[in-house]
Amino acid sequence: MTTTTGDGETYDAVVIGAGYSGLAMLHHLREIGLRVLVVDAAAGIGGTWWANRYPGVRTDSEYLAYAFSFSREVREEWDWSERYPRGGEIRAYLEFVADRLDLRRDIRLGTRVERADHDGATNRWTVTLDDGSRLHATYLVSATGLLSRPVIPRIPGLETFAGPTYHSARWPHEGVSLAGKRVGLVGVGASGIQMLPELAAEAAHVTVFQRTPNYVLETTSPPVTQDELAALRARYDEVFERACRHPFGVPMEIPTRSALEVDDDERLRVFESRWEAGGFRFANECFTDLVSSPEASALASEFLRGKIREIVDDPRTAELLSPTTYTFMGKRPPTGHGYYAAFNRENVELVDVLRTPITRVTPRGVVVGDDEHELDMLVLATGFDAMTGALTAFDIVGRDGVTLRERWERDGLRTYLGISVHGFPNFFMSLGPQTPLSNLTVPVQRGAQWLQRAIAYARENDVAQLEATREAEEWWRAEVDRAARATVMYEEGRKAGAWFLGGNVPGKRQEMAVYLGGGHVYQDECARAEVEHYAGLRPGSGLPSAHVPAADAAPEAVRPAV
Ligand code: NAP
C-alpha cells in the first residue's frame, strides 16, 4: 500500500534502476514486507540490457551463472538457448523474471530521478522526479549499473560529422541498416570487439580506429541442449554457490598450480587447453597466478600474442593488434566471437591511432595524421564513466547538504563494502564502487539478500539509520588498495588506462574503483559485518567498528586464486 500526502507518495524504499540489481532488490525487500517502488528512466525493464542494442551484444559470462538462483520457478521455467546469450535473450529473461515474480506493479518506467535529498529531521529521503513530483522513503537504493554512463570522446569536430554517430550503449532500438555503408568504429573494448564481426558481415567497409589493443579471449557460443539445462537444474544451488566462492564469481575450476612451477611444454599444454575451452576459462582456469604474478601475466601475454599471429593473416595487422605496453589482465579481458578473424576480411581495415592519434572529425570522416578516412557512419564504442558515473550524474544529497559527487571529489572514493557511504544515512548501493570485479549476478543477488537482512535487523532493533562509519570506510579503502596492489591489475591497469582505475575518463581521479581481493573474500566480509550486528553501519552505536580484516581473509586477499 502506498501512502500519498499532499507532498507526494511515501514508500519504505525507493530503488533507482530496473535492471538485474533493481529487480533483485525489489523482490528481496518486498519479502520483508517493505513497500518498494522501482523507478527507471528507460521505457523498459533491463537496465544495461535495455540500453545496449549494438550488433553482436551478448554476455561475456556463460549462461550457467548469469541468472538469479533465488527463484525456483524462474530457474525451472527459463530455458537459455546458447552458451553466451545475446542481449535480446537476456532482456527477455529479465522481463520473464519481472512477470513471474509479479514485480511490474511496483516498477515505474520512463521516470527519471532528478535528485534525492536526505532530511535529518524526518529521517527520510525525498526523491524528485523529472515531472517535478516527489517520492518519500526511509531507504534509498541505487541500482544504476556500474557501466551505464557513456563516455563520448572529446575529438575536435565530432559534432560536424554529416552521417549518423552512435555510441554503443545508445544504439537505436529499431536497428540500423548497415548495407552498403562505410562504417568507422572507434574503440576496441568489450563492446567494439563484440560488434566488429557483425558490422563487417553487413557493412560495405569497416575502418577500426584502435588506440590500445586488447588481449581478446576468443570463444564460440554453441546451443545449450536440453540435457545441459536439466543437469544445471539438478544442481543449481551448487553451481551458484561455486560462483560465489570464486574470486571472479564464475562457476569454474580453480587451478592449483603456478604458471611458474611447470615446464614450458606443460604450460603451453594448459594454455592451449584453456584457450580452446574459450572466453574467461583462459583467465580463470590456467594457473593460480595470472592475475597476481607479473611473470605469469607476461607468459600468458606472449601466448595470446602468438594466437593473434596464428589467426590474423597479415603480419603487420597482427602486430598492431598485439598489446605490448601492458600485460594480460591490465584491462578486463573481452570475449571475442571471431574478432581477430574479422581482420582477414577484405572490407576490414585497422588504423593505429596510438602512434598517430585522431586529429579531428570532418563532415566526411575521421582524420588521422594527414589521412582523411571517408565514412558514412561513425560508431563510438568508447566506454563508460565506470562505477561512479551514474551515481554522480545527479544530486544525491546527504547530511549537511553534501552531494555524493562532492564527497568523493573531496575525499576520494570512500564506501563501506561498496554498499554505504558516511554522511548518507539509509542510502545503499548495488554494485557500488569498491565492490568486486566479478560476474555480476553474484554480487547483485547476494547484495540484495544482504541488504534485506540488514534492513530487517534495523527494523527489529529500532535502528533508525544505517550508515557507514568513517572507520569502516577507511578500513575498506585500505583493504581495496592493499588487495589491488597484490595484483598485476593495479600497475598494468595504470599503464593501460583501465576503466576500473578511472583511467579512461579525462580528468577523473585515478583510484581503484573495484575490489580485487576476490568475490569470495568479499562475501566473507559481508557475512562478518552481519555477525557483528552491522557495527560498520552504526556510527555512535558504541559497537566496535568493523575495521580489522578477518584473519582467514588475508592469504586469499593478497593472492587471488585466479
Ligand atoms: P572500454 O573497455 O572502456 O573501451 C573503450 C574503447 O574506446 C577503448 O578501446 C578506448 O581506447 C577507446 N577510446 C576511447 N576514447 C578514444 C579516442 N578518443 N580515440 C580512440 N579510441 C578511444 O569500453 P567498452 O568496450 O564499452 O567496455 C567497458 C566494459 O563494459 C567492459 O570492460 C565490460 O566490463 C563491460 N562490457 C561487458 C560486455 C559483456 O559482458 N557482454 C560487453 C560490453 C561491455 P583506450 O583503451 O586507448 O582508452
Side-chain angles (χ1 to χ4, degrees):
M1 198 187 70
T2 312
T3 314
T4 307
T5 65
D7 192 26
E9 300 159 43
T10 300
Y11 295 87
D12 294 316
V14 167
V15 177
I16 310 171
Y20 269 94
S21 286
L23 299 187
M25 284 290 176
L26 172 54
H27 176 73
H28 285 99
L29 296 184
R30 250 192 202 171
E31 276 187 333
I32 53 167
L34 264 58
R35 291 162 303 151
V36 185
L37 182 71
V38 174
V39 292
D40 195 310
I45 282 167
T48 199
W49 297 103
W50 172 264
N52 281 274
R53 309 286 183 119
Y54 58 82
V57 60
R58 60 167 83 230
T59 63
D60 273 0
S61 294
E62 297 175 17
Y63 73 98
L64 281 170
Y66 203 73
F68 295 128
S69 77
F70 57 73
S71 160
R72 193 159 291 281
E73 297 82 0
V74 168
R75 65 199 214 188
E76 287 299 324
E77 294 170 25
W78 180 262
D79 286 352
W80 291 110
S81 75
E82 56 179 317
R83 185 192 290 171
Y84 299 95
R86 287 183 177 265
E89 184 167 354
I90 302 164
R91 217 161 41 248
Y93 168 74
L94 292 173
E95 285 171 1
F96 177 75
V97 169
D99 290 332
R100 197 67 184 81
L101 303 180
D102 189 23
L103 301 178
R104 284 188 197 267
R105 62 187 159 86
D106 291 325
I107 300 174
R108 199 171 292 169
L109 297 168
T111 305
R112 182 176 293 281
V113 172
E114 295 284 339
R115 59 182 294 128
D117 297 78
H118 189 262
D119 178 358
T122 57
N123 190 30
R124 65 179 193 177
W125 284 93
T126 298
V127 178
T128 307
L129 304 176
D130 52 359
D131 65 359
S133 66
R134 290 175 175 185
L135 307 169
H136 305 287
T138 307
Y139 305 107
L140 177 68
V141 182
S142 69
T144 43
L146 71 168
L147 292 150
S148 50
R149 189 179 178 194
V151 171
I152 306 296
R154 296 176 194 161
I155 304 173
L158 185 59
E159 66 294 343
T160 68
F161 182 61
T165 303
Y166 304 116
H167 187 279
S168 54
R170 297 289 179 268
W171 198 263
H173 290 193
E174 64 278 15
V176 172
S177 169
L178 299 164
K181 300 275 180 4
R182 296 165 301 173
V183 179
L185 173 63
V186 183
V188 289
S191 303
I193 281 159
Q194 287 189 336
M195 212 184 298
L196 177 65
E198 305 224 356
L199 293 179
E202 210 183 319
H205 191 268
V206 184
T207 310
V208 181
F209 298 95
Q210 171 191 272
R211 197 161 60 185
T212 313
N214 251 300
Y215 293 98
V216 180
L217 303 175
E218 291 284 355
T219 193
T220 56
S221 187
V224 179
T225 65
Q226 284 304 316
D227 285 353
E228 285 169 330
L229 284 172
L232 173 63
R233 286 186 181 123
R235 54 185 188 100
Y236 215 113
D237 289 323
E238 183 198 323
V239 171
F240 199 80
E241 187 55 28
R242 267 180 73 201
C244 292
R245 299 312 305 162
H246 188 281
F248 288 119
V250 286
M252 292 186 185
E253 291 300 319
I254 294 183
T256 54
R257 293 183 300 173
S258 157
L260 309 177
E261 76 183 55
V262 297
D263 64 27
D264 291 354
D265 287 349
E266 175 59 4
R267 192 183 311 112
L268 186 61
R269 188 194 66 75
V270 172
F271 278 158
E272 283 288 355
S273 132
R274 297 303 84 198
W275 170 265
E276 282 307 314
F280 289 161
R281 291 197 179 259
F282 181 85
N284 287 304
E285 292 187 333
C286 283
F287 296 106
T288 54
D289 47 0
L290 299 191
V291 179
S292 56
S293 153
E295 295 80 12
S297 165
L299 288 165
S301 308
E302 189 44 44
F303 174 83
L304 293 168
R305 284 191 288 265
K307 283 290 163 200
I308 300 169
R309 287 191 291 272
E310 244 174 70
I311 300 170
V312 178
D313 296 340
D314 174 42
R316 190 178 161 273
T317 304
E319 195 189 322
L320 282 179
L321 287 169
S322 300
T324 52
T325 56
Y326 69 99
T327 63
F328 181 60
M329 291 304 288
K331 281 178 177 276
R332 180 269 204 194
T335 297
H337 294 258
Y339 174 71
Y340 289 128
F343 289 93
N344 295 335
R345 295 177 64 109
E346 290 280 304
N347 67 338
V348 174
E349 178 189 3
L350 182 64
V351 177
D352 172 21
V353 299
L354 188 63
R355 288 171 191 83
T356 314
I358 297 173
T359 46
R360 64 186 195 281
V361 173
T362 68
R364 282 192 308 274
V366 170
V367 180
V368 178
D370 294 330
D371 294 340
E372 185 174 45
H373 297 263
E374 291 196 15
L375 303 166
D376 303 309
M377 184 189 297
L378 199 49
V379 178
L380 304 174
T382 45
F384 302 89
D385 183 353
M387 306 308 295
T388 54
L391 293 164
T392 56
F394 65 102
D395 286 348
I396 300 175
V397 188
R399 232 193 350 264
D400 309 324
V402 176
T403 65
L404 201 52
R405 183 176 53 252
E406 289 162 346
R407 172 78 212 286
W408 286 337
E409 272 172 10
R410 189 185 67 203
D411 298 340
L413 266 183
R414 292 291 186 282
T415 78
Y416 173 50
L417 296 171
I419 297 171
S420 171
V421 182
H422 184 70
F424 296 81
N426 291 335
F427 167 63
F428 307 101
M429 300 174 288
S430 177
L431 304 182
Q434 302 181 333
T435 45
L437 185 70
S438 170
N439 169 37
L440 294 175
T441 49
V442 169
V444 164
Q445 173 171 323
R446 284 294 177 98
Q449 291 166 339
W450 188 91
L451 187 61
Q452 178 197 65
R453 293 190 296 274
I455 290 179
Y457 176 91
R459 289 160 73 90
E460 282 158 19
N461 292 279
D462 293 325
V463 177
Q465 294 186 345
L466 293 173
E467 170 196 340
T469 65
R470 280 201 184 277
E471 295 84 355
E473 275 188 345
E474 290 310 315
W475 162 67
W476 189 240
R477 162 86 180 187
E479 185 61 8
V480 166
D481 197 50
R482 186 186 68 80
R485 286 170 194 269
T487 70
V488 300
M489 297 178 79
Y490 187 74
E491 277 309 320
E492 299 301 314
R494 282 156 72 102
K495 292 180 201 165
W499 58 255
F500 49 75
L501 278 154
N504 66 322
V505 179
K508 189 169 178 176
R509 190 193 284 247
Q510 303 274 299
E511 53 190 337
M512 183 51 76
V514 294
Y515 176 60
L516 294 173
H520 57 317
V521 178
Y522 175 80
Q523 295 298 338
D524 290 346
E525 290 298 350
C526 291
R528 191 160 68 99
E530 205 170 330
V531 170
E532 293 176 346
H533 303 295
Y534 309 98
L537 287 174
R538 298 171 64 184
S541 65
L543 288 166
S545 291
H547 61 276
V548 182
D552 61 350
E556 284 179 301
V558 294
R559 193 172 67 81
V562 182

